[in-house]
Amino acid sequence: MRFGGSLLVMSALWIGVVALFFLGMGFFGLIAPAALIRPFGIELTAPEARAEVRAVYGGFGVGFGILLGWVALGASGDLRRGIVLAAAVALAGMALGRLVARAVEGPSAFYPAWFYFWVEVLGAGLLVASVLG
């Protein structure tokens, strides 16, 4: 699918915004894993627990952020679409997990669970729109 000039710029902008979200979460997870996870009521008392948050929130976030940043800066074709859709599916999967948690656990306060649910839904939507638009 070919984009006109302004659509391509908007697409790259939205992909870049989601890339920055992943990078921010990722670097925060690498640097301060206990602080990142604390709003969810989880205390990371063991080094293995902090290592897990660094890997899943940190490393994954930085990796996907770099990949999406590369896409935003000019990757094209099927590879671009595949990377963007994979990131959208990852975000949608996280949002789905939050919905399942709410169904099983019951209602919760807006922050952090519902806040991140909407961040993930919005990010997934922006990414899908950027490749299907």
Side-chain angles (χ1 to χ4, degrees):
M1 181 180 300
R2 297 186 68 85
F3 288 90
S6 63
L7 283 177
L8 185 59
V9 169
M10 287 306 295
S11 171
L13 175 68
W14 293 128
I15 294 169
V17 166
V18 176
L20 288 174
F21 164 75
F22 272 110
L23 285 169
M25 177 191 69
F27 283 120
F28 191 30
L30 290 173
I31 295 166
L36 177 70
I37 207 80
R38 190 174 300 121
F40 296 94
I42 300 169
E43 291 189 30
L44 303 179
T45 57
E48 296 82 5
R50 290 185 295 279
E52 185 66 12
V53 171
R54 282 188 170 103
V56 176
Y57 288 84
F60 179 84
V62 169
F64 244 121
I66 290 169
L67 197 56
L68 287 171
W70 175 67
V71 168
L73 293 174
S76 63
D78 290 338
L79 182 61
R80 176 186 188 278
R81 281 188 290 283
I83 291 168
V84 172
L85 288 175
V89 169
L91 287 168
M94 289 182 236
L96 175 63
R98 293 184 197 283
L99 285 177
V100 170
R102 294 298 56 93
V104 172
E105 305 292 336
S108 67
F110 178 76
Y111 185 84
W114 286 115
F115 173 79
Y116 286 107
F117 168 81
W118 288 111
V119 167
E120 292 153 359
V121 167
L122 178 62
L126 288 173
L127 291 175
V128 168
S130 74
V131 293
L132 298 180

